[in-house]
Amino acid sequence: MSRFTLLFACLLAFLLACRKENNVVTTIDPGDEFSNKVERYLNVPRIPPSYKVQLPTYVKGLFPAAQPNAALAQLGRVLFYDKKLSKDGAVSCASCHEQAHGFADPVALSTGVSGLMTTRNSMALGNIQWFAGMLGLDSLGNAALPLFWDSRAFSVADQSRAAFTNSHEMGLTMPEVLAIVQTQPYYSWLFAQATGDTVVTEDRIFTALTHFMGAMSANHSKLDAALALGGAQPDINIDFQNFTAAENIGKQLYLANCVSCHGSVNSIQKIFEANNGLEKPYIDKGKGAISGKFYENGIFKVPGLRNIELTAPYMHDGRFKTLEAVVEHYNSGVIEVFGLHGDLLSYDPITLSYDPKRLNLTETEKQALVAFLKTMTDTQLGTDARFSDPFR
Ligand code: HEC
Ligand code: HEC
């Protein structure tokens, strides 16, 4: 071997070594903890992507600028998709909160551990940060907007503890959850990256889930595009140029009949829970079942309507399969019940009484209202890799 060939061989070996070093992302290097313990199981980047929430200008100012932390959110993503954190190893948060469905479940009732069913319809998670004092965004103080159909959880910690320990959902005790997290090879690296050390606590699990779900922002919709043109305080009453004629008609119907509960299209709502006249007698008493107060029977959380097109079926029991059926409920089906919200009543001058409101919409108007509801569909969250299943 000539000196030149030897030099060339050394150079080649050196270059190959470098390449291996750069390629560490795709080869398992037993000496490297990320490569060996995380990448082997999970499709997550060594450096987590930003989970910063891009709030539209017209929402900015409602909340302080606290932002999800990238490493905590990435840890939250793994916890959210980890089926090992359930009694039978078959159920994760994502089993009932599917990304493609606005993080709701496309069936009326969801299946938890051992095939047991939930008693209510799973809820969409896009924009849930608007519903709780998450991430220290507790601008609402103790009045942080509660979670669940009956508003029984006041933080993601309360809510997640309930999901892990509910015998029809994940079926574990919190000590069992901690023990499982401690034995999975990937968590020590992820915890160290997110929190500085490998200690697993309940608090840290809930914080990570808070940061992950807090980053699920559903603000990339046709409606948001229209509102964005209006600057910090868009006029929602004018016809939007990017809307079809039907969508603009639907918007006026929404502003006239729905906005009081489901919120001005550009901010969170003013009424957070109400009885919207679904049933009599009650199969599910909602808030009344917890408080024992008869006048709270039938009261449920008013859900935000971002991504509503993706989150069928609808209502706490998933009774309506389509948005058309929902619109027909408000048009002609609201039932007279004690405690029916005043905004769903109208005064009848002949009988001198308040009766459930009938909207008497034409077919075209009903379709227009549905068309407007579909302008709230976010086009990014459902396919954003940062929120997808990281397990290999
Ligand atoms: C077996 C199905 C199932 C599993 C598993 C599950 N959920 Fe849920 N989730 C639901 C249902 C059903 C509701 C509504 C329950 C109610 O109101 O009583 C809900 C409600 C929620 C809410 C409240 C949303 C709101 O706007 O009020 C959040 C947040 C949530 N789940 C997050 C999670 C997280 C995090 C996990 C994992 C730790 C999880 N869920 C596991 C079915 C499930
Ligand atoms: C008085 C307050 C109120 C008004 C007014 C109102 N809603 Fe609702 N809406 C609610 C409540 C409360 C729920 C949840 C009820 C339940 O599930 O038991 C709900 C649920 C819904 C849902 C299902 C959400 C989901 O995630 O399953 C849709 C869609 C909806 N409303 C659309 C509308 C439309 C469209 C209008 C106007 C025609 C309207 N609402 C008017 C209070 C109201």
Side-chain angles (χ1 to χ4, degrees):
M1 204 190 283
S2 76
R3 214 165 4 131
F4 180 76
T5 332
L6 186 69
L7 192 70
F8 182 72
C10 288
L11 191 69
L12 193 72
F14 175 68
L15 284 176
L16 281 176
C18 287
R19 222 181 120 227
K20 190 170 168 239
E21 192 57 32
N22 289 340
N23 269 1
V24 77
V25 179
T26 51
T27 40
I28 305 290
D29 170 1
D32 175 60
E33 200 185 339
F34 177 79
S35 170
N36 192 27
K37 288 196 181 164
V38 182
E39 254 206 317
R40 194 184 282 267
Y41 307 94
L42 299 168
N43 185 12
V44 294
R46 188 189 287 267
I47 298 170
S50 167
Y51 278 88
K52 279 207 174 109
V53 177
Q54 300 288 319
L55 286 181
T57 44
Y58 51 84
V59 183
K60 273 184 196 144
L62 273 179
F63 301 103
Q67 283 286 354
N69 168 284
L72 276 168
Q74 179 152 286
L75 170 61
R77 176 181 169 207
V78 177
L79 292 162
F80 190 86
Y81 280 95
D82 198 340
K83 293 189 176 133
K84 296 211 177 58
L85 305 181
S86 64
K87 196 173 185 178
D88 60 0
V91 179
S92 70
C93 309
S95 306
C96 308
H97 298 284
E98 294 181 24
Q99 185 180 17
H101 296 281
F103 288 101
D105 199 348
V107 292
L109 304 177
S110 305
T111 308
V113 286
S114 318
L116 293 169
M117 310 287 282
T118 58
T119 48
R120 291 186 182 141
N121 184 231
S122 172
M123 302 176 84
L125 303 183
N127 282 358
I128 70 155
Q129 78 274 34
W130 291 16
F131 283 110
M134 299 176 76
L135 303 171
L137 294 179
D138 205 351
S139 53
L140 301 157
N142 291 332
L145 307 182
L147 296 161
F148 285 137
W149 280 113
D150 49 15
S151 309
R152 71 186 181 282
F154 292 92
S155 65
V156 170
D158 290 352
Q159 168 278 314
S160 296
R161 187 180 291 104
F164 282 125
T165 59
N166 186 315
S167 60
H168 289 230
E169 293 189 15
M170 298 162 90
L172 295 173
T173 63
M174 281 317 292
E176 284 171 333
V177 173
L178 295 190
I180 298 170
V181 170
Q182 274 153 357
T183 51
Q184 296 314 306
Y186 36 88
Y187 281 120
S188 58
W189 193 91
L190 291 168
F191 268 80
Q193 189 186 47
T195 66
D197 61 58
T198 59
V199 180
V200 177
T201 65
E202 269 185 46
D203 246 18
R204 286 177 166 187
I205 289 176
F206 298 145
T207 303
L209 285 168
T210 305
H211 281 245
F212 179 59
M213 293 193 288
M216 290 175 182
S217 176
N219 297 316
H220 302 95
S221 67
K222 201 168 178 180
L223 174 63
D224 289 291
L227 292 169
L229 295 175
Q233 283 181 319
D235 181 357
I236 52 178
N237 291 299
I238 55 163
D239 276 1
F240 291 150
Q241 286 189 2
N242 66 335
F243 272 30
T244 63
E247 288 163 351
N248 274 316
I249 293 170
K251 176 162 69 69
Q252 291 309 330
L253 291 168
Y254 179 86
L255 292 174
N257 300 298
C258 323
V259 78
S260 59
C261 285
H262 290 286
S264 162
V265 282
N266 62 350
S267 71
I268 54 172
Q269 61 241 56
K270 296 190 177 66
I271 295 170
F272 299 108
E273 42 191 32
N275 184 329
N276 69 340
L278 288 176
E279 63 189 14
K280 186 167 110 181
Y282 295 113
I283 294 167
D284 185 338
K285 290 184 183 163
K287 217 177 145 99
I290 303 179
S291 68
K293 295 173 181 150
F294 73 96
Y295 55 87
E296 290 190 332
N297 287 349
I299 290 186
F300 288 89
K301 173 167 168 172
V302 180
L305 298 185
R306 279 296 192 284
N307 270 343
I308 196 69
E309 180 184 7
L310 308 176
T311 64
Y314 304 109
M315 304 298 169
H316 68 268
D317 52 4
R319 66 176 55 209
F320 297 131
K321 290 197 176 63
T322 61
L323 286 174
E324 284 76 8
V326 171
V327 166
E328 197 51 58
H329 165 71
Y330 289 107
N331 184 54
S332 64
V334 175
I335 291 176
E336 186 169 8
V337 280
F338 179 84
L340 179 63
H341 195 277
D343 288 6
L344 294 171
L345 287 168
S346 60
Y347 185 66
D348 183 339
I350 299 167
T351 59
L352 306 179
S353 64
Y354 283 92
D355 299 324
K357 205 194 257 179
R358 300 290 174 240
L359 302 182
N360 299 319
L361 302 177
T362 64
E363 276 316 308
T364 317
E365 286 172 328
K366 288 181 211 168
Q367 282 164 20
L369 185 49
V370 170
F372 169 71
L373 293 173
K374 291 182 179 174
T375 68
M376 295 197 229
T377 306
D378 178 280
T379 53
Q380 293 184 9
L381 187 63
T383 51
D384 188 333
R386 296 174 305 155
F387 298 97
S388 64
D389 186 351
F391 282 87
R392 291 194 187 278

